[in-house]
């Protein structure tokens, strides 16, 4: 990759495509659909490549991401998060004239505001009532609160009740409460669904789950769609869960200093998402000693001949893919070690309409 200026974010397309296909295979023969969470990459070009058979649109965390996807021509977008500002709800309603749009709701005032915005624009936005299934973040806390909100959706013009959503958070292999947390999420969603249906409401969609619970979701007959995102790139943090995914993301760095068994590369916190641990050098026996904003210092465990010299390049595997993408505004798509194309990523360069 001689012409790629470092630090650069690389996606190995063979690994990415194999992950996308492997996820589709996992869902084959089930009625569960995948709605890839694009907050992981915020890159329309990658989103389009994820929308293969078995997928039904994308999941977003923010309005900016939703707008980015709709502007890129993606026709079915779920904002799996609460949107409350009037100016933002107005944009949600406007997006609905160009795509099928749904949003999560867990309180009344934003729902009423959304209904007003939609009515003014003769738009329709679908709503998923967000249920706290154990993460302790957003979401209503009990089935009756969900029913109160769901009835309001049904009674409000411009909005349509699509169903429920509940995200349990990342449940790692090492979490001793993993089994209990998976079960808690399942029962909270199924009980809430049953409660809503018991009061005469229709709940066609129950959306939730992530990469760490993708396998569990297959035997959980409550979810109708899964919001996994990291699956397409994999992370060491998700190892041990029996997932058929391989790492697809690396950061290209250049050695800018070094002597003896030390080398310093030009990628630090501003190029590598380190939230789940230090980055791991690929193909060179080395360990991270320290990281700064623009630097990573490595201790080399290889012979002098195999050690990178000043100007040599190496690849680092970041621990947190979503945060790594958020640090770059373009991504180099690589196949068999060669650049296939370079595409924009990120919501900041794209801008927003509000
Ligand atoms: C609401 C929601 N759904 C799904 C996901 C996807 O999780 P993952 O990237 O681990 O697949 C996330 C990630 O944080 C999320 O916040």
């Amino acid at each position: 990759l001689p012409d790629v200026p470092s630090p650069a974010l690389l996606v190995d397309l063979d690994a990415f495509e194999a992950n996308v296909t492997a996820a589709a295979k996992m869902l084959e023969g089930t009625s569960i659909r995948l709605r890839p969470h694009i907050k992981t990459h915020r890159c329309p070009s990658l989103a389009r490549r994820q929308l293969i058979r078995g997928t039904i649109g994308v999941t977003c965390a923010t309005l900016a991401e939703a707008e980015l996807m709709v502007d890129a021509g993606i026709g079915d977008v779920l904002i799996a998060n609460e949107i409350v500002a009037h100016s933002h709800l107005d944009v949600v309603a406007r997006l609905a004239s160009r795509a099928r749009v749904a949003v999560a709701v867990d309180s009344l005032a934003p729902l009423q505001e959304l209904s007003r915005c939609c009515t003014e624009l003769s738009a329709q936005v679908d709503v998923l009532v967000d249920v706290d299934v154990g993460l302790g973040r957003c979401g209503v806390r009990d089935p009756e609160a969900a029913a109160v909100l769901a009835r309001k959706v049904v009674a409000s013009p411009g909005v349509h009740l699509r169903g429920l959503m509940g995200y349990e958070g990342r449940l790692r292999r090492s979490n001793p409460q993993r089994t209990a947390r998976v079960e808690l999420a399942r029962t909270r969603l199924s009980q809430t669904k049953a409660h809503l249906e018991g009061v005469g409401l229709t709940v066609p969609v129950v959306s939730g789950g992530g990469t760490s619970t993708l396998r569990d979701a297959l035997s959980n007959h409550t979810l109708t769609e899964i919001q996994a995102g990291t699956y397409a790139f994999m992370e060491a943090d998700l190892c041990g869960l029996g997932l058929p995914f391989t790492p697809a993301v690396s950061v290209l760095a250049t050695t800018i200093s070094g002597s003896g068994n030390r080398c310093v590369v030009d990628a630090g916190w501003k190029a590598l998402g380190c939230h789940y641990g230090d980055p791991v050098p690929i193909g060179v026996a080395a360990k991270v000693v320290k990281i700064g904003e623009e630097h990573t210092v490595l201790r080399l465990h290889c012979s002098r001949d195999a050690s990178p010299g000043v100007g040599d390049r190496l690849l680092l595997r970041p621990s947190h893919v979503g945060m790594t993408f958020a640090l770059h505004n373009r991504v180099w798509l690589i196949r068999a070690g060669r650049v296939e194309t370079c595409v924009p990523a990120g919501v900041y360069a794209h801008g927003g309409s509000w």
Side-chain angles (χ1 to χ4, degrees):
L1 309 169
D3 299 328
V4 178
S6 68
L9 172 59
L10 313 182
V11 168
D12 179 329
L13 282 177
D14 286 331
F16 169 83
E17 287 166 5
N19 292 340
V20 168
T21 307
K25 277 224 162 73
M26 283 177 83
L27 300 186
E28 219 165 59
T30 75
S31 56
I32 304 173
R33 293 288 167 264
L34 184 61
R35 182 180 279 282
H37 209 315
I38 61 78
K39 75 183 215 167
T40 317
H41 53 72
R42 297 161 156 187
C43 173
S45 173
L46 290 173
R48 276 191 220 101
R49 291 166 196 253
Q50 283 175 285
L51 294 177
I52 62 167
R53 85 198 130 79
T55 57
I56 42 160
V58 297
T59 307
C60 302
T62 67
L63 179 56
E65 291 169 3
E67 194 168 37
L68 176 68
M69 292 298 127
V70 174
D71 285 352
I74 287 175
D76 192 328
V77 172
L78 163 65
I79 306 171
N81 205 356
E82 278 63 13
I83 305 292
V84 303
H86 168 80
S87 57
H88 287 191
L89 291 165
D90 181 60
V91 176
V92 172
R94 286 177 198 283
L95 286 183
S97 66
R98 297 196 284 141
R100 188 167 176 254
V101 174
V103 65
V105 163
D106 75 354
S107 62
L108 186 55
L111 172 65
Q112 288 172 327
E113 192 56 36
L114 176 63
S115 168
R116 258 193 300 276
C117 292
C118 288
T119 310
E120 250 166 49
L121 293 164
S122 303
Q124 185 195 284
V125 169
D126 285 1
V127 168
L128 297 183
V129 174
D130 191 3
V131 179
D132 180 2
V133 293
L135 180 58
R137 197 168 67 181
C138 300
V140 297
R141 299 295 157 103
D142 61 79
E144 184 44 30
V148 168
L149 211 46
R151 277 200 208 92
K152 287 282 182 198
V153 178
V154 171
S156 304
V159 289
H160 169 77
L161 181 67
R162 189 187 288 180
L164 296 171
M165 104 150 214
Y167 175 62
E168 64 278 17
R170 183 167 289 197
L171 296 179
R172 297 175 177 80
R173 177 83 189 86
S174 57
N175 184 341
Q177 286 162 356
R178 188 176 190 286
T179 310
R181 289 279 307 276
V182 167
E183 184 51 21
L184 178 69
R186 191 190 68 75
T187 49
R188 284 213 179 151
L189 278 175
S190 59
Q191 283 172 358
T192 308
K193 180 172 189 269
H195 187 71
L196 264 55
E197 287 171 344
V199 297
L201 297 165
T202 314
V203 187
V205 168
V206 181
S207 186
T211 308
S212 73
T213 52
L214 189 45
R215 241 179 220 302
D216 309 275
L218 299 178
S219 49
N220 158 354
H221 299 290
T222 307
L223 293 182
T224 64
E225 58 179 56
I226 300 177
Q227 306 172 354
T230 308
Y231 76 97
F233 309 96
M234 196 48 185
E235 280 169 0
D237 191 57
L238 293 163
C239 284
L241 291 164
L243 295 165
F245 308 127
T246 52
V249 165
S250 59
V251 169
L252 176 70
T254 303
T255 306
I256 56 169
S257 176
S259 59
N261 67 347
R262 267 174 85 256
C263 99
V264 184
V265 298
D266 64 348
W269 288 318
K270 287 182 177 167
L272 293 151
C274 299
H275 186 211
Y276 298 143
D278 286 345
V280 177
I282 304 172
V284 54
K287 246 187 118 64
V288 171
V289 177
K290 64 176 173 182
I291 313 183
E293 288 184 43
E294 286 88 13
H295 303 93
T296 293
V297 181
L298 299 168
R299 180 177 300 119
L300 302 162
H301 299 287
C302 43
S303 68
R304 197 169 284 273
D305 285 354
S307 297
V310 169
D312 284 348
R313 320 260 257 168
L314 59 90
L315 296 173
L316 296 163
R317 186 86 71 208
S319 65
H320 192 170
V321 170
M323 282 306 297
T324 303
F325 268 96
L327 297 167
H328 294 259
N329 58 16
R330 59 183 171 171
V331 47
W332 299 81
L333 305 183
I334 308 295
R335 206 183 290 277
R338 288 176 183 277
V339 175
E340 198 167 285
T341 181
C342 180
V343 293
V347 292
Y348 300 112
H350 178 71
S353 66
W354 66 92

